């Protein structure tokens, strides 16, 4: 379990990193927390010729807030985001979701940007990004562009990032004011394992009626999957157990999960059903509260 | 209630482990920590096929990589090194690198030696092997019928049956004829295995000046059967020195790991430099040669209406994988406690051991008896249900009673002592069993599924060698000895040096040796040091395994200490001008009873070493002794094997009560409480024993709920890493495993100690199955296989719910379940549906 030979660059600035990526092209991989990349290299599933280690690029490590928009630098450690008051205030859904990522020592190394760029379909953060309409700021030596979360995730471990591009920032639009509830729930084989199924749910309720809802799942498809049909079943109705049951049932029928050793498709559907119901109930209970 | 005999100074103290300071500060010297000048590193190329002929191997590209020293194929290795040791009869041929044919995924087909492990792996990637795939056998029932190319070892016969035999103990047919009820169940115990933090490794060197090998290895049994490695390497035994290193865990899996040291030695001889080979994790999972039992049981228990158990019939198929290093010793082991703690009068076992394209079985905490416990306890529960008895009552009714010991069970093994009701009652009290039954009732009304599991099972300890061979039709090497030794010296300053002749493999041998010697010589533990002998200096040492080492070294230390005491008394009597019979040893001094005249051990030691002329003429200088302690009670099996003799008489016992809750929507299981009460005889160190019990229990929870070496039908191991082979972590363990002890000393051992190393894992799987089945009683769900993974449990729950809807049955929470007419769920041990990765 030793990686194949590779060369190594350690830029100190974003520009240096972009330059290295431009030079190396397809041969290079960005090294962030290494919690996914190094394991794949040790198993020789990946044999990059060059690693561009961004761990010294301090300019990518920040959590800021700008008029309610939360901006997280790509190199921010998952544990830093997990414990950040700013994240809790502006996106409590993310705070809750991060607790399902791996274990503390892994979150101490693993980065927010690396997690999103890795695009594991069972990952929690992509579901949160899609549920909150986050945007991704990416840069290359040729310039900068922003990509909507819904467009960023293409499929299993695949994103809209080009080989010479660096993800630099995630932007989460302002958390809607009072009346917004949220919940992240998940079932995994053990605590900290990748999810069998997870759900990011948000719910906006006024006078008992549901005004808006988001239901995004990890673990049921090649990427984080939003189920608009289930969301529509909620909007305009009383936010109650009956509505939640119906949305859950629709969601479990709309998803088309795969079977593997740890879970059958049928089991994943059952989990979608149960977790949707439970998450919506929790979101409802949190409506009007800023944080849990 | 029995409690520990008092009056000991050190036996029974929760002394901190003397091994820990160096282990916890990173100074343990595991095999990978050892370096020799000019050392090289090896990596193996692993077969991607489960069963294939090796057509050709091209190593030229690998050899051309800078830094590569040697590339060796199986055929090349076999020119120097013979087959690996094997205890099966007839033996099954296995080489350290596969020759001509691979029989399981991951088997080595070539090895590379290089200046670094990185280079070795780079080069291994460049070896080109042409395989001719052969039919793959992974289903044990199918293996019975294999023919032609699907036969793994054609030289052993035309099929994949390793051994087939029925053993009958007592009047089984008559007892079944007398029965009012016969309870039947089919059970599936899946393959899992030990997961030590450290994998198997060796650092071998060969000195062509002396023609001698030195191998640092984390194996055990080197002072018992280590010479077999010399035979494989084709050198005389005195041309091989095996030097033990601290093993980073074993749980059985390093019992006698011979493949890795022999491979490293073969490579070292061929390249003329020391070679280090340490398995990586995937290697270890696929190739450790120590997968656990993999069994299908058909069970029948004959009972009287009142719950009296009469007779037990077992038909068992065991999937041994591709090789058979320990024969079917696991089934010998299970005969030690075949009928559990119950007065079952007769029993029969029909065994079919088969070979398949999987890693071979070896040792894993329980060595086959944990599976037997699972079978017996599932049957006790099934019987309780069939007879509408409480699971506690049916056990109580059938327990062997304290005044019946020593008790001979139908297989011929003898149980030394026990008080099973005392253990049961203590556990019931600690768990508040009756309180929880009420709470369970309340919870069910709220639609919550709380389950209370209970098992009362045996923990045989101190194995004896006969179990390895007595199943064989024609035993090859019918050994009957399994001793352990120590040598002890007191140096001129009065400090004590103990040398063990078996390794550290994750238990606490130094702590035990220290406590026992401190007790024997009435000295302070800080004045004792413990080391490990290599084979050059080794005395007979069978080593840990089968929960034996504490009992065995206590016996050996007591024996050696007695000789040292005699010497000390001789010196003291002479110098104090007293009669030896007037002397006593107390607080590290030998003194004349009833006076203040005496000498400290240090004073005596100084005299014994340096003042020969002050001592009796026949006194030999020094203060040391060596002692080899034989298994305390072994007898031979009889010729027709209707009686296996006594081979595992030191009988521990346990009662485990887990209380769990099943989330029926997700199939997940949550612990509400866990109680484990054990009787391991006199307890040497309650803290380390409790560690064994808790750790073993969590391991048993792993076997029950998480762990599975799952091979698909093409022989691929789908769980070959720790992302897929799920070991419970602290988060999955019960918050507190409450441990209790009941002490019934063994009449056959020093201090009355019984072994306690395997107990947790020998009880927890059955206990969990019992608890989950109890929780889901309203749904009529039976737990006949492990691991009880949420996906499978949810599937059963969904089916049960559908059945209910179809039957139009009302939600009858106390509804009866149809244990009898139910079809067995054979796929419980397998993957759900058409699993694809
Ligand atoms: C035992 C274990 C359990 C885990 N469980 C979970 C879990 O439950 N949920 C979960 O979501 N994750 C889990 N992870 C993965 C973890 O969250 C990783 O930290 C994360 O997937 C990758 O982040 P990283 O910073 O470590 O990135 P790396 O491993 O360094 O990189 C991952 C990939 O992203 C690319 N990359 C990284 N940063 C950038 C960037 N700024 N721009 C462009 N490309 C970039 C890399 O080139 C690489 O391809 C687990 C990991 C382990 C070891």
């Amino acid at each position: 379990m030793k990686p194949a030979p590779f060369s190594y660059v350690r830029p100190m600035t974003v520009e240096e990193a972009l330059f290295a990526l431009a030079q190396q092209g397809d041969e290079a991989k960005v090294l962030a927390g290494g919690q996914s990349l190094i394991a794949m290299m040790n198993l020789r599933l990946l044999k990059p010729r060059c690693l561009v280690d961004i761990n010294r690029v301090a300019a990518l490590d920040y959590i800021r807030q700008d008029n309610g928009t939360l901006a997280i630098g790509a190199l921010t450690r998952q544990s830093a985001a997990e414990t950040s008051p700013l994240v809790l205030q502006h996106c409590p859904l993310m705070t809750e979701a991060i607790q399902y990522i791996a274990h503390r020592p892994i979150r101490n190394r693993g980065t927010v940007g690396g997690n999103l760029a890795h695009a594991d379909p069972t990952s929690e953060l992509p579901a949160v990004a899609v549920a909150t309409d986050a945007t991704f700021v990416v840069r290359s030596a040729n310039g900068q562009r922003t990509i909507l979360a819904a467009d960023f995730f293409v499929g299993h471990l695949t994103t809209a990032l080009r080989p010479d591009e660096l993800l630099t920032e995630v932007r989460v639009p302002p958390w809607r004011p009072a009346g917004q509830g949220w919940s992240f729930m998940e079932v995994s084989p053990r605590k900290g394992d990748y999810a069998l199924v997870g759900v990011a749910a948000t719910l906006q309720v006024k006078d008992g009626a549901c005004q808006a809802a988001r239901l995004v799942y990890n673990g049921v498809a090649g990427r984080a999957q939003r189920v608009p049909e289930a969301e529509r079943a909620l909007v305009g109705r009383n936010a109650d157990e009956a509505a939640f049951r119906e949305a859950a049932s629709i969601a479990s029928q709309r998803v088309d999960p795969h079977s593997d050793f740890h879970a059958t498709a049928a089991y994943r559907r059952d989990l979608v059903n149960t977790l949707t119901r439970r998450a919506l109930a929790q979101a409802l209970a949190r409506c009007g509260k800023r944080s849990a | 209630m029995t409690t520990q005999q008092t009056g000991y100074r050190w036996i029974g103290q929760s002394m901190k482990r003397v091994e820990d300071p160096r282990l916890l500060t990173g100074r343990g010297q595991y095999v990978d920590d050892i370096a020799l000048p000019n050392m090289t590193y090896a990596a193996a190329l692993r077969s991607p096929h489960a069963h294939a002929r090796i057509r050709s191997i091209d190593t030229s590209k690998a050899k051309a990589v800078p830094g590569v020293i040697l590339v060796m194929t199986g055929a090349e290795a076999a020119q120097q090194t013979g087959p690996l040791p094997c205890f099966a009869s007839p033996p099954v041929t296995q080489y350290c690198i596969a020759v001509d044919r691979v029989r399981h995924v991951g088997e080595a087909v070539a090895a590379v030696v290089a200046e670094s492990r990185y280079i070795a792996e780079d080069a291994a990637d460049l070896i080109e092997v042409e395989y001719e795939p052969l039919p793959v056998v992974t289903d044990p029932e199918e293996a019975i019928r294999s023919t032609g190319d699907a036969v793994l070892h054609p030289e052993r016969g035309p099929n994949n049956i390793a051994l087939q035999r029925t053993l009958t103990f007592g009047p089984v047919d008559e007892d079944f004829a007398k029965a009012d009820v016969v309870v039947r169940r089919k059970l599936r115990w899946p393959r899992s295995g030990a997961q030590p933090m450290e994998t198997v490794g060796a650092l071998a060197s060969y000195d062509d000046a002396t023609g001698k090998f030195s191998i640092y290895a984390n194996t055990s049994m080197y002072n018992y059967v280590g010479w077999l490695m010399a035979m494989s390497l084709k050198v005389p035994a005195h041309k091989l020195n095996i030097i033990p290193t601290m093993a980073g865990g074993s749980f059985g899996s390093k019992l006698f790991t011979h493949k890795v040291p022999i491979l490293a030695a073969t490579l070292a001889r061929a390249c003329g430099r020391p070679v280090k080979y340490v398995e990586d994790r995937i290697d270890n999972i696929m190739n450790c040669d120590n997968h656990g039992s993999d069994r299908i049981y058909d069970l029948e228990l004959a009972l009287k209406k009142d719950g009296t158990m009469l007779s037990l019939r077992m038909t068992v198929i065991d999937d041994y994988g591709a090789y058979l290093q320990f024969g079917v010793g696991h089934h010998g082991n299970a005969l030690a406690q075949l009928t559990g703690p119950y007065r079952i009068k007769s029993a029969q076992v029909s065994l079919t051991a088969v070979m398949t394209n999987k890693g071979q079985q070896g040792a894993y905490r329980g060595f086959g008896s944990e599976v037997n416990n699972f079978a017996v306890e599932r049957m006790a529960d099934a019987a309780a249900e069939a007879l509408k008895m409480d699971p506690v009552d049916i056990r109580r009714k059938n327990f062997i009673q304290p005044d019946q010991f020593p008790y001979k069970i139908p297989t011929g093994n003898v149980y030394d002592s026990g008080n099973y009701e005392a253990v049961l009652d203590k556990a019931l009290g600690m768990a508040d069993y009756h309180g929880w039954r009420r709470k369970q009732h309340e919870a069910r009304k709220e639609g919550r599924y709380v389950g209370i599991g209970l098992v009362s099972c045996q923990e045989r300890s101190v194995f004896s060698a006969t179990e390895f061979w007595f199943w064989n039709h024609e035993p090859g090497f019918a050994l009957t000895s399994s001793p352990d030794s120590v040598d002890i010296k007191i140096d001129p300053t009065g400090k004590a040096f103990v040398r063990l002749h078996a390794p550290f493999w994750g238990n606490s041998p130094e702590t035990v040796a220290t406590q026992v010697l401190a007790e024997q010589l009435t000295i302070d533990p800080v004045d004792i040091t413990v080391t490990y002998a290599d084979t050059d200096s080794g005395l007979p040492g069978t080593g840990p395994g089968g929960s034996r080492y504490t009992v065995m070294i206590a016996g050996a230390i007591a024996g050696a200490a007695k000789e040292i005491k005699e010497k000390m008394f001789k010196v003291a009597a002479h110098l104090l001008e007293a009669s030896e019979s007037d002397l006593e040893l107390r607080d590290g001094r030998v003194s004349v009873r009833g006076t203040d005249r005496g000498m400290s051990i240090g004073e005596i030691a100084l005299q014994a070493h340096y003042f020969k002329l002050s001592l009796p003429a026949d006194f030999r200088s020094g203060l040391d002794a060596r002692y080899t302690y034989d298994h305390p009670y072994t007898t031979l099996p009889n010729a027709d094997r209707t009686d296996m003799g006594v081979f595992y008489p030191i009988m521990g016992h346990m009662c485990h009560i887990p209380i769990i809750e099943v989330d029926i929507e997700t199939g997940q299981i949550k612990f509400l409480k866990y109680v484990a009460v054990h009787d391991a005889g006199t307890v040497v160190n309650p803290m380390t024993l409790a560690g064994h019990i808790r750790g073993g229990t969590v391991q048993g929870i792993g076997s029950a709920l998480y762990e599975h070496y799952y091979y698909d039908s093409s022989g691929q191991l789908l769980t070959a890493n720790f992302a897929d082979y799920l070991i419970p972590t602290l988060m999955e363990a019960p918050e507190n495993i409450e441990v209790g002890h009941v002490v019934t000393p063994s009449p056959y051992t020093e201090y009355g100690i019984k072994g306690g190393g395997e107990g947790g894992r020998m009880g927890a799987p059955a206990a969990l199955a019992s608890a989950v089945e109890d929780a889901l009683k309203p749904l009529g769900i039976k737990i006949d296989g492990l691991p009880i993974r949420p996906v499978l449990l949810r599937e059963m729950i969904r089916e049960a719910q559908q059945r209910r809807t179809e039957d139009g049955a009302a939600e009858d929470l106390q509804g009866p379940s149809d244990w009898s007419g139910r079809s067995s769920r054979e796929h419980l041990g397998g993957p759900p549906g058409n699993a694809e990765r």
Side-chain angles (χ1 to χ4, degrees):
Chain A
M1 273 198 228
K2 302 288 184 208
F6 58 87
S7 63
Y8 175 83
V9 198
R10 194 169 67 198
M12 305 298 279
T13 65
V14 175
E15 287 68 27
E16 281 172 28
L18 297 178
F19 178 73
L21 285 174
Q23 276 203 322
Q24 301 286 336
D26 287 8
E27 309 271 272
K29 274 272 169 199
V30 174
L31 173 66
Q35 297 302 298
S36 297
L37 179 57
I38 297 295
M40 293 175 86
M41 287 172 61
N42 284 346
L43 292 167
R44 298 193 179 220
L45 296 171
L46 278 182
K47 298 179 187 178
R49 287 288 179 77
C50 173
L51 287 189
V52 179
D53 179 352
I54 60 168
N55 282 281
R56 300 285 172 97
V57 183
L60 290 176
D61 182 4
Y62 57 85
I63 300 172
R64 293 199 272 264
Q65 167 298 121
D66 180 15
N67 271 332
T69 295
L70 185 67
I72 303 177
L75 194 64
T76 304
R77 306 292 162 182
Q78 292 154 11
S79 57
E82 177 184 3
T83 52
S84 155
L86 273 184
V87 174
L88 181 65
Q89 189 186 349
H90 295 281
C91 189
L93 181 65
M94 184 182 290
T95 305
E96 185 158 83
I98 292 177
Q99 291 156 28
Y100 288 95
I101 301 177
H103 311 277
R104 182 53 78 96
I106 292 165
R107 298 198 292 270
N108 283 343
R109 290 298 303 165
T111 64
V112 171
N115 186 292
L116 293 164
H118 188 58
D120 190 297
T122 66
S123 260
E124 294 78 8
L125 286 182
V128 172
V130 172
T132 56
D133 288 329
T135 52
F136 294 75
V137 181
V138 309
R139 286 178 63 184
S140 72
N142 296 326
Q144 173 175 323
R145 59 181 182 133
T146 55
I147 309 172
L148 207 67
D151 302 326
F152 184 82
F153 301 104
V154 176
H156 184 87
L157 307 187
T158 323
T159 66
L161 278 176
R162 291 193 283 262
D164 64 340
E165 281 180 329
L166 186 69
L167 171 63
T168 57
E169 184 178 282
V170 194
R171 302 176 72 82
V172 183
W175 192 247
R176 291 187 189 80
Q180 170 111 315
W182 75 93
S183 173
F184 193 95
M185 284 191 182
E186 140 174 342
V187 169
S188 57
R190 293 169 304 184
K191 173 89 181 81
D193 281 333
Y194 276 108
L196 297 177
V197 171
V199 58
T202 63
L203 193 63
Q204 233 176 323
V205 177
K206 194 171 179 200
D207 302 330
C210 177
Q211 297 190 304
R214 271 297 168 90
L215 289 168
V216 184
Y217 300 86
N218 48 318
V220 300
R223 55 183 171 156
Q225 186 185 352
R226 187 175 161 195
V227 183
E229 297 86 344
E231 296 168 359
R232 279 200 293 273
L234 293 165
V235 176
R237 289 187 52 177
N238 271 348
D240 59 17
E241 177 72 17
F244 297 167
R245 271 185 190 280
E246 194 183 320
S249 163
I250 292 171
S252 69
Q253 285 158 37
R254 287 289 156 166
V255 295
D256 184 14
H258 66 293
S259 287
D260 61 20
F261 175 70
H262 295 292
T264 55
Y267 181 57
R268 286 196 165 88
R269 276 184 208 281
D270 280 355
L271 293 180
V272 166
N273 199 335
T274 297
L275 291 178
T276 304
R277 240 183 44 239
R278 292 181 183 176
L280 286 171
Q282 185 176 54
L284 176 66
R286 283 169 172 172
C287 276
K289 290 188 200 144
R290 272 319 250 183
S291 58
Chain B
M1 174 91 35
T2 29
T3 47
Q4 178 126 347
Q5 187 188 330
T6 48
Y8 297 133
R9 172 74 184 87
W10 297 106
I11 301 284
Q13 296 291 324
S14 283
M15 194 177 94
K16 282 191 180 166
R17 287 176 15 125
V18 300
E19 295 88 347
D20 278 346
R22 62 189 203 282
L23 294 181
L24 295 179
T25 55
R27 293 174 175 87
Q29 288 283 311
Y30 296 102
V31 70
D32 203 33
D33 296 323
I34 296 172
L36 291 176
N38 221 15
M39 185 168 82
T40 65
Y41 301 83
L45 177 67
R46 300 281 163 204
S47 168
H49 293 278
H51 200 191
R53 281 201 185 90
I54 301 169
R55 275 290 189 72
S56 65
I57 305 185
D58 181 350
T59 58
S60 53
K61 285 191 190 136
K63 281 178 175 153
V65 174
V68 168
I69 296 154
L70 173 74
V71 182
M72 206 174 211
T73 64
E76 287 161 355
Q79 284 169 15
Q80 300 179 11
T81 297
L84 302 176
C86 180
F87 297 90
S89 177
V92 173
T93 308
Q94 181 191 10
Y95 290 94
C96 61
I97 308 177
V99 178
D100 297 337
R101 190 179 199 164
V102 290
R103 295 183 179 82
H104 64 87
V105 153
E107 191 166 9
V109 289
V112 181
V113 180
E115 299 292 347
S116 79
R117 174 79 184 222
Y118 291 86
I119 298 172
E121 290 192 23
D122 292 346
D125 264 4
L126 298 173
I127 298 173
E128 289 163 7
V129 186
E130 203 188 319
Y131 296 96
E132 175 193 332
L134 295 169
V136 173
V137 194
T138 58
D139 181 314
E141 285 172 317
E142 198 187 301
I144 297 173
R145 300 183 295 272
S146 301
T147 54
D149 275 350
V151 176
L152 274 75
H153 298 278
E155 74 285 359
R156 279 186 106 247
N159 56 44
N160 278 327
I161 296 174
L163 186 137
Q164 198 159 34
R165 189 166 188 181
T166 297
L167 297 174
T168 307
F169 307 104
V172 174
D173 291 342
E174 288 90 321
D175 285 342
F176 269 82
K178 278 188 239 155
D180 298 323
V181 202
V182 176
V183 181
R184 296 191 171 81
R185 246 171 132 157
K186 184 172 178 126
L187 302 179
R188 184 75 176 93
W189 176 279
R191 177 176 285 248
S192 60
Q195 309 298 334
M197 283 213 270
E198 184 202 32
T199 58
V200 180
L203 169 53
S205 57
Y206 179 73
D207 182 342
D208 33 4
T210 57
K212 185 163 178 170
F213 285 104
S214 299
I215 309 180
Y216 292 89
N218 51 15
T219 181
S220 182
M221 282 197 173
Y222 50 86
N223 275 324
Y224 189 44
V225 288
W227 58 274
L228 288 170
M229 291 202 215
M231 302 298 108
S232 294
L233 290 164
K234 298 186 179 168
V235 293
H238 68 294
K239 295 293 183 185
L240 167 64
N241 186 28
I242 302 170
I243 307 153
T245 61
M246 301 296 274
S250 167
F251 311 108
S253 75
K254 293 195 177 94
L255 187 68
F256 180 46
T257 43
H258 41 74
K259 186 171 70 187
V260 164
I262 288 173
L263 175 60
T266 299
L267 297 169
R269 176 164 54 186
C271 77
R273 287 172 62 180
V275 175
K276 179 182 278 185
Y277 178 59
V278 181
E279 295 174 334
D280 61 29
R281 183 58 59 188
I282 291 181
D283 248 357
N284 185 258
I285 288 180
M286 295 197 294
N287 304 300
C288 64
D289 292 324
N290 277 286
H291 285 192
S293 299
D294 190 352
R295 300 185 185 172
I296 300 168
Y297 276 94
D298 273 301
L299 294 155
E300 294 179 292
L301 178 63
L303 298 114
K304 285 289 191 195
K305 267 201 300 277
D306 68 355
T308 305
M309 299 175 181
L310 299 174
S311 186
L312 179 65
R313 268 203 201 113
M314 295 185 169
T315 303
V316 53
I317 301 170
D318 200 340
D319 179 348
Y320 268 88
Y323 300 99
L324 198 65
Q325 57 178 344
F326 297 128
V328 298
H330 315 79
H331 292 273
N333 196 295
L335 296 182
Q337 51 186 53
L338 185 70
T339 43
Y342 310 117
R343 291 184 314 260
I344 299 175
K345 292 287 182 336
S346 61
Q348 184 176 64
V349 190
S350 297
L351 167 66
T352 305
V354 297
M355 315 217 59
T356 63
N357 297 112
K358 301 177 185 170
Q360 73 174 323
Q361 284 192 24
Y364 183 24
R365 217 171 190 172
F367 206 73
S369 276
E370 79 282 30
V371 197
N372 193 78
N373 280 354
F374 176 72
V376 171
E377 290 303 295
R378 291 280 60 213
M379 291 310 279
D381 280 354
E385 175 151 23
L387 295 168
K388 305 206 165 19
M389 287 177 76
D390 187 281
V392 174
D393 296 339
I394 196 161
R395 288 175 166 83
R396 215 186 272 283
K397 181 166 187 64
N398 287 284
F399 276 155
I400 297 160
Q401 295 300 306
D403 59 5
Q404 295 180 299
F405 294 99
Y407 184 91
K408 185 178 166 108
I409 66 165
T411 63
N413 193 36
V414 163
Y415 295 172
D416 57 350
S417 65
N419 187 345
Y420 304 148
E421 285 207 83
V423 174
L424 176 70
D425 286 330
K426 182 156 192 175
L428 292 173
M430 282 171 65
D432 184 21
Y433 180 81
H434 299 290
W436 272 102
R437 282 279 174 223
R438 280 193 300 277
K439 285 187 226 169
Q440 175 184 44
H441 190 76
E442 295 305 310
R444 276 189 188 159
K445 286 189 200 151
E446 298 163 20
R448 289 173 52 209
Y449 292 78
V450 171
I452 303 164
L454 184 141
V455 293
S456 50
C457 32
Q458 303 301 80
E459 183 189 2
R460 86 286 171 280
S461 70
V462 195
F463 85 70
S464 158
T466 53
E467 72 171 45
F468 279 111
W469 52 263
F470 58 38
W471 268 95
N472 295 345
H473 295 289
E474 286 167 37
F477 184 52
L479 72 172
T480 55
S481 319
S482 31
D484 271 294
S485 310
V486 295
D487 49 353
I488 299 173
K489 74 171 183 196
I490 309 294
D491 84 335
T493 72
K495 303 301 179 195
F497 297 67
V498 182
R499 194 157 53 154
L500 303 176
H501 296 264
F504 173 90
W505 70 343
N507 46 347
S508 314
E510 298 170 34
T511 305
V512 170
T514 300
Q515 284 184 259
V516 172
L517 188 63
E519 188 72 48
Q520 284 285 330
L521 296 185
T522 69
I523 57 180
D524 199 293
V526 301
D527 290 328
I528 299 170
T529 185
V530 184
T531 57
Y532 302 90
D534 57 13
T535 48
D536 274 356
S537 59
L539 299 172
T542 311
S547 300
R548 74 196 306 277
Y549 207 51
T550 296
V551 166
M552 293 303 289
I553 54 172
I557 288 171
K562 182 163 173 276
E563 288 178 23
I564 287 176
K565 279 187 267 186
E566 281 166 11
K567 270 193 141 179
M568 293 198 304
F569 275 38
K570 194 165 195 172
V571 171
H574 188 77
L575 297 175
L576 296 171
E577 295 175 347
S579 146
E580 280 182 45
S581 58
D582 290 337
L583 298 180
E584 64 175 358
L585 172 63
R586 199 142 46 88
D587 298 331
R589 291 177 65 79
V590 177
S591 27
V592 183
R593 214 176 270 114
T595 74
D596 56 4
R597 287 201 306 130
M599 295 175 75
S600 72
I601 290 178
E603 287 162 351
I604 295 171
L606 194 72
Q607 295 291 330
H609 280 86
Y610 295 128
F611 299 95
K612 166 93 180 122
L613 299 184
S614 318
L615 298 175
D618 64 346
F619 187 83
R620 283 181 298 111
S621 290
L623 199 50
D624 51 75
R626 55 167 54 180
Y627 195 90
T628 297
Y629 179 75
D630 272 302
H631 188 277
Y633 185 10
T634 305
T635 65
L636 276 172
N638 66 2
D640 62 6
R641 300 293 190 268
T642 52
D643 186 323
M644 295 311 200
V646 182
F647 59 101
Y648 239 136
I650 318 299
M651 191 56 62
H653 182 76
M654 75 195 88
C655 179
H656 278 216
I657 304 182
I659 298 166
I660 56 111
E661 180 169 353
V662 179
D663 178 338
I664 63 161
E665 292 187 317
T666 64
Q668 290 176 302
I669 292 163
K670 185 170 86 187
F671 284 98
L672 304 177
K673 197 174 182 71
Y674 201 112
V675 167
V677 176
H678 283 239
D679 177 357
T682 301
V683 179
V684 177
N685 185 320
M687 179 190 72
T688 60
L689 180 64
H692 266 302
I693 292 169
R694 292 201 174 96
T697 297
V698 175
Q699 232 168 8
I701 290 168
S703 305
L705 305 182
Y706 295 98
E707 300 182 33
H708 194 175
Y709 285 139
Y710 180 73
Y711 286 86
D712 71 8
S713 58
S714 66
Q716 295 298 323
L717 179 54
L718 297 190
T719 53
N721 60 60
F722 283 168
D724 291 316
Y725 185 94
L726 307 176
I727 308 169
T729 71
L730 198 60
M731 304 304 294
E732 283 67 53
E735 220 163 87
N736 179 15
I737 296 170
E738 296 164 47
V739 173
H741 298 294
V742 167
V743 176
T744 56
S746 173
Y748 306 137
T749 67
E750 201 62 43
Y751 298 110
I753 302 167
K754 298 177 181 178
E758 296 162 285
R761 186 168 180 269
M762 293 177 82
L768 265 298
S770 168
V772 174
E773 188 168 293
D774 185 59
L776 298 178
K777 218 176 218 172
L779 296 167
I781 286 170
K782 293 288 173 287
I783 303 301
D784 291 339
L786 305 176
I788 315 165
R789 299 190 293 134
V791 56
L792 301 174
L793 203 50
R794 175 60 203 150
E795 195 178 312
M796 288 193 282
I797 293 165
R798 192 192 312 115
E799 280 172 19
Q801 287 170 328
Q802 276 162 4
R803 244 188 346 256
R804 248 149 220 276
T805 328
E806 282 158 21
D807 298 350
E811 267 301 288
D812 176 11
L813 289 175
Q814 305 306 319
S817 43
D818 55 338
W819 65 273
S820 49
R822 180 192 48 87
S823 71
S824 64
R825 300 186 51 88
E826 297 178 27
H827 66 286
L828 184 64
N834 50 347
E836 285 283 322
R837 284 247 91 188

